[in-house]
Amino acid sequence: MSRRKSAAEVFDALGERYEEVFGRVPGQIEALDWLTARLPAGARVLDVGSGTGRPTAETLVRAGCDVTGIDVSPAMVALARTRVPGARFEQADVRTYTPRTGGFDAVCSFFPLLVMDQPEVAAALDRMASWTAPGGYFVMATVPGDIRGLDIEWMGHEVTVSSLSTQDHLARLAARGLEVLHHHTAVFQPADDLAVPEEHLFCYARRLT
């Protein structure tokens, strides 16, 4: 069997095709509508796993937010800088990224944590929670499940994925000082012959103090 690819390698190869297949996930659009309705103009927002910049950074910039996007894929960062010039994009890994002081009024995390080990998923959640300023929002989506080191083929690439169960996600966020305001799961069918239906967990939370 060939070597499993890193997240950076997979998304460098996918490029704009990822946006074509996953750029209009209904639950993600709903989450962004929910978030932008609650953020004032100029709100500082971090988009973790920003991809091509669409739809997350683009929607946030249109709402008047001050947006920083990070992604492990240099190809994605290059695309995002072209597509959403009103935001800042950096090639960075959520596992090692050091944000500016003061935190963010909102942190978005739409599906960036899957191609890593399970302890890294948990640690990344802790890190993102700590970057959410008091009164700020944390909005995330992932494929839930008590999964560690599962080898799969996804979008034509062999990858190793991990995740946490829905309850473990909720408990971890609560333990890190976030109030979970809403969560739900939904099945999404990507518009591509190489992609199978996915169960998505969406979670909206807020740091009160």
Side-chain angles (χ1 to χ4, degrees), residues 125-144:
L125 286 171
D126 293 350
R127 289 172 62 79
M128 292 188 293
S130 74
W131 300 337
T132 307
Y137 296 94
F138 176 65
V139 179
M140 65 160 290
T142 192
V143 178

Side-chain angles (χ1 to χ4, degrees), residues 22-92:
F22 292 97
R24 297 295 299 177
V25 177
Q28 184 173 351
I29 304 303
E30 292 170 8
L32 289 168
D33 288 344
W34 181 91
L35 179 62
T36 54
R38 288 160 176 79
L39 293 176
R44 297 159 300 153
V45 185
L46 178 66
D47 179 13
V48 178
S50 47
T52 68
R54 296 173 177 166
T56 303
E58 183 177 64
T59 300
L60 292 164
V61 167
R62 191 183 299 123
C65 298
D66 178 6
V67 181
T68 299
I70 63 170
D71 201 287
V72 295
S73 163
M76 287 295 192
V77 170
L79 282 169
R81 287 171 175 167
T82 299
R83 281 164 160 68
V84 192
R88 293 178 300 279
F89 296 96
E90 304 174 31
Q91 184 187 347

